[in-house]
Amino acid sequence: MALPTQAQPQQVTPEELYNAVCGAASQNPAQVQASTTRLKELLEIPGAYDYLHEIATQRTLPLQVRQQAIIQFKNAATGHWRSRK
């Protein structure tokens, strides 16, 4: 008898989130659009904000990538806080 399998909760990897942030900071409009869509999906997964914070604080990363991580964090956080009213 086969046991029903439970769906595994999604997990975000630091590399995947970093790649999405880099794409969103790109100068290529098609890449920006695709990466922004993927970022929205990733930010719904627990742990994504921790990784965004790590990206933003890494001084060895390019400034535009760090700024994009900060902007994404700010926009998502304020959106969640406003929805609680």
Side-chain angles (χ1 to χ4, degrees):
M1 178 175 180
L3 296 174
T5 58
Q6 281 187 323
Q8 295 292 329
Q10 283 187 322
Q11 292 184 348
V12 62
T13 63
E15 294 82 19
E16 184 178 15
L17 188 62
Y18 175 75
N19 290 335
V21 171
C22 285
S26 170
Q27 297 297 318
N28 180 349
Q31 187 177 11
V32 169
Q33 184 177 8
S35 295
T36 301
T37 301
R38 183 63 184 143
L39 264 174
K40 288 179 183 177
E41 295 169 358
L42 291 173
L43 291 177
E44 296 297 320
I45 301 172
Y49 291 101
D50 295 331
Y51 293 139
L52 269 182
H53 180 262
E54 288 181 25
I55 291 170
T57 59
Q58 292 291 324
R59 292 187 179 257
T60 57
L61 298 178
L63 180 61
Q64 67 270 18
V65 173
R66 293 172 50 217
Q67 288 175 335
Q68 184 66 24
I70 292 166
I71 291 167
Q72 292 296 327
F73 183 89
K74 179 202 65 91
N75 289 345
T78 56
H80 285 291
W81 287 331
R82 286 186 186 140
S83 67
R84 290 186 178 184
K85 289 183 179 180

